[in-house]
Amino acid sequence: MTPIMRKKAALISVFHKDGLKPIVEQLSALNFDIYSTGGTEKFIRDLGIDVIPVEDLTAYPSILGGRVKTLHPKVFGGILSRRDNEKDLEQLDAYEIPQIDVVIVDLYPFEKTVESGANEQDIIEKIDIGGISLIRAAAKNFKDVLCISARNQYEDFLKVLVAQKGVFTLEQRKIYATKAFAISSHYDTAIYNYLNTTETNFRQSFNKVSPLRYGENPHQKGYFYGDLESLFDKLHGKELSYNNLLDVDAAVNLIGEFKNDKPTFAILKHNNACGLAQRDTLHQAYIDALAGDPTSAFGGVLISNKTIDEATAQEIHKLFCEVVIAPSYDENALNILKGKKNRIILVQKIFFLSKPSYRTALNGVLFQDKNLKTDARSDLKTVSILKPTEKQIEDLLFASKICKHTKSNTIVLAKNKQLCASGTGQTSRVDALNQAIVKAKHFNFDLQNAVMASDAFFPFPDCVEIAQQAGINAVIQPGGSIKDKLSIDYCNSHKISMVFTGTRHFKH
């Protein structure tokens, strides 16, 4: 057979066409043969640029409703052939297979289709087969082939294409191959997680990454993997730090407990609420939340379940705080809050957060269902002779919500839907309670008729005894200790009402 002339060629098969036009024009100007199929072929042809249908190369039409277009030896042979391997080149000549030097693919939008709520059949049809195969083949042969695997790479690729006139270095091809396998693995992970209902294999992947100034401390590197823009609109301020993000996560989870309630304001520091109150106006809710611990509020993260108005913004502006989060802001309020150039102002667009929870541990990952259980009236079982009043029930459920989102061991003291104090992250429940009482008294809270919430059961009656001596007369806890009766007996002999929920809320 007559040897085929070695002319540069590109294969283009993309879902999204935006940004493709200047690349195609440049490839044509550099005398690349351009192969394509389906909608991409039509797009290129409509630009007035010569394009070779893949069907002409393979002598097979697109079949099975478009499911099979590029899956053919004449396509993959041209991509996978090794340019320094004589036998490979001989086979290219023997079977009249052109070398393909550039592969440009933009995969079917599988994740977007899932997010749209489409039916299963439509979702399955958006599992790309040919595209993902082209990506893997081109990336594998990065020694000879450059692979563009997503439209967000178009702009950078065009600059390289123009500057280097279609000649690419090995380093560049390897970098793009790395990106391609990242795209491929992420795509497969999304499909696995969509289909999986029975397997326990851990698969998570994030395409978006944001470098942070540093990690938890200045000597540690830090990155955030995820799509913050889907949750927040950032209106003002510096970039979120690693510690900011941890506090924002805690704040969003906490305020989610009150999303449909009356105006509620929370102030957090080191992932724990140091102030929280619910009132008829947001302004008063903020004032009373700040009263919970004005010292810890310095440099904290503030979050509201309602629109921040001008009066509330004026009060907030008096405090140095890192982040303010709300579903919206009045125009005057926003102008006030922007008065501090570094203050981060976020609009929370949705309350949704991922349901699974996972973290690194030792040489692996701990995975669990997210704690989505919120104690409700229907969960309460009165175990004392004295039943809680309606007002006490409201305060007990209020305190329980805060307790659920506070580091264990924890005790939360509340009164009139205001956080009086909490003991956080203590090695004993008694220590947590004593810490809360001391703190409440330090900030001049009257604990007479306050309520107490505990994240776990009391193994001994010491906590209810200490609480009663401080003036607390209603308790909410999970129950479940073999010595529950000791605490119940103390409550009965000292006219304290106590309810069990049956649900522990450890948070570590």
Side-chain angles (χ1 to χ4, degrees), residues 373-410:
K373 174 64 178 175
T374 298
D375 295 330
R377 287 173 180 266
S378 58
D379 300 313
L380 305 184
K381 178 184 177 183
T382 302
V383 295
S384 57
I385 296 172
L386 184 65
K387 294 183 178 180
T389 65
E390 178 64 23
K391 183 176 179 299
Q392 286 176 327
I393 289 174
E394 290 183 358
D395 273 348
L396 288 168
L397 292 174
F398 175 86
S400 174
K401 290 178 179 180
I402 302 171
C403 193
K404 171 185 170 182
H405 294 276
T406 305
K407 294 289 186 181
S408 298
N409 287 312
T410 184

Side-chain angles (χ1 to χ4, degrees), residues 35 41 58 65 84 160 176 222-223 228-229 399 427 444 473 481:
Y35 293 88
E41 177 198 338
T58 63
D84 59 356
V160 174
Y176 278 112
Y223 300 88
L228 282 176
E229 292 178 359
T427 53
N444 301 314
N473 61 6
S481 169

Side-chain angles (χ1 to χ4, degrees), residues 2 4 100 102 115 125 142-143 163 204 216 222 226 269 285 295 298 320 325 347 369 395 403 410 418 446 461-462 481:
T2 304
I4 297 173
I100 295 175
V102 175
E115 291 169 6
E125 288 305 317
F142 67 84
K143 187 176 178 182
Q204 287 296 327
E216 202 161 7
K269 193 73 171 288
T295 302
F298 183 87
F320 168 71
I325 310 167
V347 171
D369 295 332
D395 273 348
C403 193
T410 184
Q418 180 184 20
D446 179 6
D462 44 9
S481 169

